[in-house]
Amino acid sequence: MKEKVIELVEVNKWYDKFHVLKDINLSVFAGEKVIICGPSGSGKSTLIRCVNRLEEHQQGSIVVRGITLSHNTKNVEKIRGDVGMVFQQFNLFPHLTILDNCTLAPTWVRKLPKKDAEQLAMEYLKKVKIEDQAKKFPGQLSGGQQQRAAIARALCMEPKIMLFDEPTSALDPEMIKEVLDVMIDLAKGGMTMIVVSHEMAFAKEVADRVIFMDEGRIVEEKETKEFFANPENERTKLFLSQILG
Amino acid sequence: MLINFIQWSKKSLFSNWWNSLITLFCIYLLFSIIPPFINWAILDATFSGKLKTDCTAGGACWVFISVWFEKLMYGFYPVEHIWRINLSFIIFIGTIGFSFFVREKYKLYILFFLIFIFPVIAFILIRGGFGLTIVETREWGGLALTFILAIFGIILSFPLGVLLALGRRSELPVIKYFCICFIETWRGIPLLTVLFAAAVMFPLLLPSGTFVDKLLRVAIGIAIFESAYVAEVVRGGLQSLPRGQYDAAKSIGMGYWQMNFFVVLPQAIKTVIPGITNTFIALLKDTPLIYLVGMAEILGIVNMAKANPYWLGMAVEGYVFAAIIFGVVSFILSSYSQKLEKKFSTENK
């Protein structure tokens, strides 16, 4: 039995009166790759944003690597150091070069010496194949390059878990592949990943499990092959038929 | 060249009848103002002499300025110690000049020096102590005092304003509402009231025997007053930042102060440079108000000098001189801010 690294029990969340997450139960094991899909507004992004507490949940418990998420800021910061996140809009820091984007957290959060931080950053920039862009500013890069830089920035904290919030949705079609390739590499390297995405080809290739969400609930949760071969829920079927065409 | 000019003026100045009318009116205005002013300020002016009676040419009497020059610059600061003010000023200008030539990563140290170390050095030099003769602050004055107040005000109000702006957006209600009250109260009081309170009322509230220097009280009053304005300008910058920047900073494990110091403020302050410059120029131009609580910066000395029995009626020369100095300093401030803006905007592209 593998180690449980994320456990959500009966999680509920409201935005004012709007009930975004309803009774979410989810466990993720070390090294597992989980894809979350579903129509927009179904709470997918909110769910993974709860995992590193960019959003607060109101009911239930979320335990990440043995630490229960609460108002304790120190715990939250510790978890955020272990959990990397990649956003739809990249969210690189526009006033810093790509290299500085990557070394910022290692230098100030992990307190690495500057030289080590830079070496680490270059290593990961090489891994996502943009080491030649290190001295440029985010605005000078294409969308695909920016997203890969954002992945490198997250990896520089050497996280144990990576969260991806629709990482390819803001990209032009020809750039999606370069980002997915990086993510596939990462998956093959054994990283624990939760990915909110509609890239079904990617899901088929790397995912251990696929989760379908609708209206704040986990509607269906299956192993990848099962999910695509025998979806049970009507809404899942409809969604898959629309998305796979 | 000439044809170009004619074409250009046809297009931009005389394109239709009302534009022509406005153009002609402006030309008339310029002609009725500029030549007489040049006549008065330069051609008919008297530059050398020692007394008011030396001014016989009918134009400006710049003798007034040259006789009072030392007072206009240094107030009643003892003449034999004036070098101390000059030295502080040279250190200040020298450091800023030096910063143009050093590499980016050392600029932070220079900023640190200017904010934390320079004020101490300047204070010791100007006020005395450590072997230097003490010069009481009531003897300070003139342009030097204008600069002292403006620089002190800027150095103190900027960090205070930034903290207030952050506090106003804090999630902790106590801090948030304290900052809102603080900002709104100080913005609601006229500067003149602040000055009177600092100079006259504040000492009454102190327990007897304690004493805070009057100039210090006034300077802190001005700095706090301006910090409320700086706070609102900076808040505008904070609000313009997309939420994704906060998300990203948090997601890589940065704490509140790290996030603000490395990610949020550098971007927010960059966007509000024009607004901050605006506030600082206003601060510079507010300093003459201290005349009303019995301190004489440059405009105060002009007021004092024009009331001198030997120099009655010299108000215009004094005011023109002060206006030119304020104009030049404001211009330097705004060109420097434009330079900063340009530098930052190219950096990101």
Side-chain angles (χ1 to χ4, degrees), chain A residues 49 52 54-55 77 80-81 83 85 87 91-95 104-105 108-109 111 137 139-140 153-154 157, chain B residues 105 171 243-256 258 262-264 266-267 270 347-349:
Chain A
R49 287 168 65 88
N52 64 351
L54 289 181
E55 304 281 354
E77 278 165 25
R80 284 175 182 161
V83 180
M85 188 162 195
F87 302 88
N91 296 348
L92 289 169
F93 306 130
H95 61 301
L104 189 61
W108 297 102
V109 181
K111 318 264 189 239
F137 286 94
Q140 298 167 312
R153 177 179 67 183
M157 284 299 287
Chain B
K105 62 175 178 182
E171 285 167 15
R243 197 177 80 150
Q245 293 290 309
Y246 292 88
D247 286 348
K250 285 180 192 163
S251 78
I252 48 177
M254 302 183 96
Y256 178 82
Q258 288 178 338
F262 294 113
V263 177
V264 176
Q267 296 185 65
K270 202 180 287 180
E347 210 168 64
N348 294 348
K349 275 159 199 157

Side-chain angles (χ1 to χ4, degrees), chain A residues 2-15:
Chain A
K2 275 194 163 173
E3 181 199 358
K4 221 181 242 183
V5 286
I6 299 174
E7 187 170 33
L8 284 78
V9 180
E10 292 295 315
V11 171
N12 277 282
K13 176 171 175 59
W14 289 264
Y15 286 126

Side-chain angles (χ1 to χ4, degrees), chain B residues 119-168:
Chain B
V120 178
I121 296 177
F123 181 77
I124 293 171
L125 267 175
I126 296 174
R127 184 165 180 281
F130 294 97
L132 290 167
T133 320
I134 298 228
V135 180
E136 293 297 336
T137 54
R138 62 170 176 277
E139 291 174 90
W140 303 11
L143 186 63
L145 184 58
T146 307
F147 281 149
I148 289 168
L149 277 174
I151 292 171
F152 180 85
I154 289 171
I155 287 177
L156 194 67
S157 69
F158 182 65
L160 198 59
V162 169
L163 285 179
L164 284 169
L166 288 176
R168 191 165 181 166

Side-chain angles (χ1 to χ4, degrees), chain B residues 146 149-162 164-165 183 186-187 191 221-237 269 271-288 326 329-330 333-334 337 341:
Chain B
T146 307
L149 277 174
I151 292 171
F152 180 85
I154 289 171
I155 287 177
L156 194 67
S157 69
F158 182 65
L160 198 59
V162 169
L164 284 169
I183 291 169
W186 283 91
R187 286 204 305 169
L191 181 56
I222 293 177
I224 294 178
F225 178 82
E226 296 296 339
S227 72
Y229 289 85
V230 172
E232 288 299 274
V233 173
V234 172
R235 189 164 67 98
I269 289 172
T271 60
V272 296
I273 290 175
I276 291 180
T277 312
N278 215 3
T279 313
F280 288 161
I281 289 178
L283 185 153
L284 175 78
K285 293 193 294 188
D286 280 343
T287 53
F326 274 97
V329 177
S330 303
L333 269 176
S334 69
S337 86
E341 266 177 71

Side-chain angles (χ1 to χ4, degrees), chain B residues 54 56 139 161 167 210 282 308 316-317 327 342:
Chain B
D54 291 332
T56 47
E139 291 174 90
T210 48
N308 184 299
V316 181
E317 283 83 349
K342 214 172 263 166

